Amino acid sequence: VAFLYFLHGWATFFYFGNANAISSVDVSAGFAGIIVYCAPLHGLLIFLQVYIGPIFWLLSLICRIPCSAWQASAGRRAEFVTLFLFFRLVCVAVAFGSAALQRHHLFVWTVFAPKVLYESVHSVFACLIAVISLSF
């Protein structure tokens, strides 16, 4: 079930018009409705616009687990977080491995390096969510 939620998250990532290219990031989403310049706020809005699909499906997966089961068993919670982080580790390892193997390829800076950047940012967010979920 967790893997299906993971796949739904990435499907919505691409459904909302994102791609593995830095040029596909919609920067105008960071300035919508803001009348003053605030770099952290603009960065947060751009981040949310890019990753709202995976964030939604991750939160949906967390909400699917009953609160009583989540609070009763710290072992199950640790297993869930370990499985989730394993998915992230595999994705990051594949991205870094393909970038390392194709480092002499013509499209390394347009295809592989942006994918590594996207996976790295998503993994930082995933680790933050994992730490927060283990603290409850």
Side-chain angles (χ1 to χ4, degrees):
V1 173
F3 186 67
L4 290 176
Y5 275 82
F6 178 76
L7 290 179
H8 283 301
W10 279 113
T12 55
F13 173 81
F14 291 110
Y15 179 74
F16 288 150
N18 297 311
N20 292 330
I22 304 289
S23 61
S24 71
V25 175
D26 184 19
V27 181
S28 66
F31 296 92
I34 308 297
I35 57 174
V36 295
Y37 180 75
C38 179
L41 179 62
H42 297 306
L44 176 69
L45 289 175
I46 293 170
F47 173 81
L48 287 176
Q49 190 271 337
V50 170
Y51 288 105
I52 198 66
I55 290 169
F56 170 77
W57 283 102
L58 175 63
L59 294 176
S60 298
L61 178 61
I62 290 172
C63 290
R64 181 184 168 125
I65 300 170
C67 288
S68 59
W70 186 259
Q71 293 172 351
S73 152
R76 285 195 59 159
R77 189 175 5 174
E79 289 175 6
F80 173 76
V81 169
T82 303
L83 180 64
F84 176 71
L85 291 178
F86 177 73
F87 285 147
R88 293 300 325 139
L89 176 67
V90 168
C91 290
V92 170
V94 168
F96 273 94
S98 64
L101 286 173
Q102 301 293 334
R103 66 185 173 273
H104 300 296
H105 193 275
L106 179 64
F107 299 120
V108 70
W109 293 113
T110 58
V111 176
F112 301 113
K115 178 65 175 175
V116 168
L117 178 69
Y118 275 108
E119 289 295 332
S120 300
V121 170
H122 192 208
S123 295
V124 167
F125 174 75
C127 290
L128 179 67
I129 291 294
V131 167
I132 291 171
S133 67
L134 285 176
S135 65
F136 289 113

